[in-house]
Amino acid sequence: MKQLPFMAVVCTVMLFIVYRTTKYQYHQEEIDKKWSLWGKAEAYLTTSQKLKGLPRGIIQDSSDLELRPLWLRSNSRSKSRDYSNRNLLAIPVGIKQKHNVNAMVQKFLPENFTIILFHYDGNVDGWWNLDWSSKAIHIVAQNQTKWWFAKRFLHPDIVSIYDYIFLWDEDLGVEHFSPSRYVKIVKEEGLEISQPALDPNSTEIHHRITVRARNKKFHRRVYERRGSTRCSDASEGPPCTGFVEGMAPVFSRSAWYCTWHLIQNDLVHGWGMDMKLGYCAQGDRTKKVGVVDSQYVVHKGIQTLGGSDHGATKVSKLKKTTTVKFLVT
């Protein structure tokens, strides 16, 4: 009889442990559901057989590019998991464009953006004297291109917490660009794939639809008659509508999930890739793809990695050959 109080205490402790464990597992499952941003409601039901040995509540099928401090209190850790309204800027960079990239990053970093730099020239040490450098992620691979980096380091499960992925070149002037205003516009207009318009005074403009329309907030199509190009209301695809260029594309989370699978593993320069992006518009490309005019950039046309001016057209030549109209629909 003397053991009864002791057994009661033991049972109480065991019940408490079971209760806490069950509650913890339930809490973790709710977190997993909350951050399963790709809409994988049946993720656990379709989990690979290779994971069947893991307890259900322990599986974490996504990650992110957020830096973590070496030491963090548990209460601070829970607070740091709020990644709502966060976006990603990824840029292939070389040390020769350090000044311009610095200007770009200083625009984006204060506005809830994570920064990742792909160093194609192997020079990382030359960036450490910038104040923000330790806050960015640096990845190095000699003489590799933007699409090579994106395919290998921007897997959808790694970037699933970000609302928008900005996959930009390093030679863009951002004096007239606000990241937060841009994101607000693409959200309001339902643009799954977009780009900022190009200043007409840019060094090179490859496609007429990317030129800024001064009196528009954004546009989805262009009208023109130049050479073999005929853009009208009947046009249903590039380069008349449903098109953004590879230098400054912006993808919604869902659009990037599709685009990542579209990128071929052996893709190098990506010429022609922009003509195919409309497949990932999550609907009608003539509605879901657009160019934002009120937030525009300057394309400086600086060639890197031995690139050529393939398909480039001087702005002055474009101005002489045709008159263009833009339409917002």
Side-chain angles (χ1 to χ4, degrees):
M1 297 297 292
K2 293 182 178 180
Q3 293 183 348
L4 287 178
F6 174 74
M7 294 299 296
V9 171
V10 171
C11 291
T12 302
V13 171
M14 292 181 65
L15 287 173
F16 177 76
I17 292 174
V18 171
Y19 167 75
R20 293 292 297 177
T21 302
T22 303
K23 183 178 180 180
Y24 175 79
Q25 290 180 338
Y26 174 78
H27 179 65
Q28 288 300 115
E29 289 183 22
E30 291 300 309
I31 291 176
D32 290 339
K33 290 178 182 178
K34 178 181 178 181
W35 291 108
S36 183
L37 298 177
W38 298 113
K40 296 179 285 188
E42 294 82 22
Y44 288 122
L45 299 178
T46 59
T47 298
S48 169
Q49 288 298 309
K50 295 179 181 179
L51 303 179
K52 63 182 181 181
L54 289 176
R56 175 177 175 179
I58 203 172
I59 295 176
Q60 180 69 61
D61 60 355
S62 63
S63 185
D64 56 62
L65 293 168
E66 299 305 296
L67 299 175
R68 299 292 198 278
L70 289 177
W71 305 104
L72 192 65
R73 296 179 181 176
S74 59
N75 60 341
S76 300
R77 187 181 299 114
S78 61
K79 292 179 181 179
S80 68
R81 294 196 64 170
D82 183 10
Y83 299 136
S84 58
N85 301 315
R86 193 154 189 85
N87 305 293
L88 176 69
L89 172 66
I91 319 172
V93 301
I95 196 64
K96 293 181 179 179
Q97 301 307 318
K98 179 180 176 181
H99 178 75
N100 193 67
V101 173
N102 181 39
M104 294 173 68
V105 172
Q106 291 198 51
K107 279 271 187 173
F108 282 83
L109 195 58
E111 300 200 22
N112 211 25
F113 273 78
T114 296
I115 309 297
I116 180 169
L117 302 184
F118 300 130
H119 297 271
Y120 59 76
D121 62 353
N123 189 333
V124 180
D125 291 341
W127 297 81
W128 294 125
N129 64 337
L130 298 175
D131 293 339
W132 51 262
S133 187
S134 62
K135 300 176 182 178
I137 297 171
H138 301 263
I139 296 178
V140 184
Q142 197 79 25
N143 293 330
Q144 299 304 308
T145 65
K146 174 167 68 177
W147 300 108
W148 184 92
F149 282 108
K151 185 66 174 179
R152 285 150 184 83
F153 299 104
L154 299 183
H155 187 280
D157 287 344
I158 301 298
V159 299
S160 62
I161 70 168
Y162 305 108
D163 292 341
Y164 292 93
I165 291 90
F166 289 60
L167 190 56
W168 283 17
D169 287 354
E170 61 184 334
D171 62 342
L172 300 176
V174 293
E175 293 81 3
H176 307 287
F177 183 83
S178 166
S180 59
R181 293 175 185 172
Y182 183 93
V183 169
K184 181 180 179 181
I185 292 172
V186 296
K187 282 184 176 180
E188 290 176 347
E189 304 302 335
L191 300 178
E192 298 285 336
I193 301 176
S194 62
Q195 75 160 84
L198 301 183
D199 190 311
N201 294 318
S202 296
T203 303
E204 292 177 350
I205 293 180
H206 301 75
H207 300 280
R208 177 71 68 172
I209 193 173
T210 63
V211 182
R212 181 192 178 211
R214 297 182 184 277
N215 60 339
K216 302 288 186 182
K217 182 167 71 172
F218 74 100
H219 64 271
R220 293 186 173 98
R221 67 169 59 238
V222 65
Y223 296 95
E224 70 170 322
R225 299 185 64 181
R226 175 171 56 89
S228 59
T229 302
R230 296 289 187 272
C231 293
S232 65
D233 286 323
S235 301
E236 297 181 349
C240 305
T241 187
F243 175 84
V244 300
E245 195 167 358
M247 72 182 72
V250 178
F251 304 91
S252 70
R253 185 185 300 117
S254 297
W256 178 249
Y257 182 86
C258 172
T259 301
W260 187 89
H261 288 84
L262 173 67
I263 300 171
Q264 302 301 296
N265 198 53
D266 60 353
L267 185 66
V268 181
H269 294 290
W271 291 326
M273 179 73 182
D274 42 18
M275 293 290 181
K276 306 300 181 184
L277 293 179
Y279 289 126
C280 293
Q282 309 302 296
D284 186 349
R285 70 167 67 190
T286 66
K287 302 293 185 183
K288 299 289 188 177
V289 181
V291 178
V292 177
D293 298 294
S294 61
Q295 300 300 317
Y296 61 99
V297 297
V298 177
H299 182 212
K300 300 181 179 181
I302 300 172
Q303 303 301 329
T304 58
L305 289 174
S308 67
D309 59 352
H310 177 75
T313 305
K314 295 297 182 181
V315 179
S316 58
K317 182 178 179 181
L318 284 173
K319 289 179 179 178
K320 294 177 182 179
T321 55
T322 183
T323 299
V324 179
K325 295 181 179 180
F326 300 90
L327 177 68
V328 178
T329 58

